[in-house]
Amino acid sequence: MSKKIYEMITNQIIEKLEQGVIPWRKPWVNGIAVNWKTQKAYRGINTMLLDGGEYATFKQIKEAGGKVKKGEKSQIVVFWKMLKVEDEETEKEKKIPLLRYYRVFNIGTQVEGLETKRTYETFDHDPIEEAEKIKKDYFNGPSYSFQSGRAILCPL
């Protein structure tokens, strides 16, 4: 079973690479992928499999009164769990890893009838103006350059 999941994940990453998307490079758009119901961030390989947004299973969507749009395709997320089983030879308890996968849909683009659970803070100021003021007042500050789409400060 886990070989099938590994193959599915590998194929999904290859598909993204063929589309020109490097899944381990994340733009600062739409934030991170989270579970819609719990608002917990996905971790591990799931961060490469999902774009930013909120995701839920078909069952979660249905129970919340939403509906997956016609023709939408799910994406997979994986989940590891340690199971306690009895070793047949030693009769002692041991833990074995269980890898499962779930199919999820993006609430913002693939689902009707559900609203985001994310809350966004709003600020009553102009952050660009504030940043420019700090830069201007900085004594003997470093030079910098701006590159759109990157969340880094590159000294020249």
Side-chain angles (χ1 to χ4, degrees):
M1 175 73 160
S2 63
K3 278 190 176 184
K4 179 183 174 189
I5 297 172
Y6 291 138
E7 188 176 320
M8 290 167 59
I9 291 170
T10 301
N11 290 339
Q12 193 169 347
I13 290 173
I14 289 170
E15 185 179 308
K16 286 184 178 211
L17 289 169
E18 288 172 344
Q19 294 169 356
V21 175
I22 302 172
W24 49 89
R25 286 192 189 157
K26 291 294 182 183
W28 290 86
V29 178
N30 296 330
I32 58 174
V34 298
N35 177 287
W36 176 76
K37 188 172 182 178
T38 65
Q39 291 297 297
K40 288 185 180 178
Y42 287 104
R43 300 181 303 172
I45 193 71
N46 294 319
T47 61
M48 286 191 239
L49 300 176
L50 302 173
D51 291 329
E54 295 172 284
Y55 292 84
T57 64
F58 185 82
K59 181 180 176 185
Q60 289 171 331
I61 293 165
K62 187 176 177 184
E63 287 174 353
K67 179 181 168 187
V68 175
K69 293 177 184 176
K70 186 173 181 164
E72 292 292 344
K73 296 194 184 320
S74 64
Q75 297 178 60
I76 63 169
V77 294
V78 295
F79 171 73
W80 284 97
K81 180 178 183 178
M82 296 302 285
L83 294 179
K84 292 179 183 178
V85 296
E86 186 178 298
D87 187 316
E88 292 178 7
E89 294 176 12
T90 64
E91 295 185 9
K92 292 183 179 179
E93 189 177 89
K94 66 178 183 177
K95 292 182 179 180
I96 60 168
L98 171 69
L99 176 63
R100 299 198 60 183
Y101 73 94
Y102 296 92
R103 297 201 167 271
V104 294
F105 297 89
N106 186 310
I107 295 297
T109 59
Q110 299 180 299
V111 176
E112 298 171 334
L114 294 183
E115 296 294 323
T116 181
K117 288 187 175 184
R118 287 185 172 181
T119 57
Y120 297 96
E121 286 188 59
T122 58
F123 299 96
D124 188 22
H125 75 287
D126 181 358
I128 302 298
E129 184 180 308
E130 294 292 323
E132 289 295 329
K133 184 178 183 306
I134 291 170
K135 182 189 81 157
K136 184 179 111 275
D137 293 344
Y138 197 84
F139 176 73
N140 201 19
S143 58
Y144 71 96
S145 65
F146 175 76
Q147 293 180 334
S148 180
R150 292 182 174 233
I152 57 174
L153 183 63
C154 300
L156 296 176

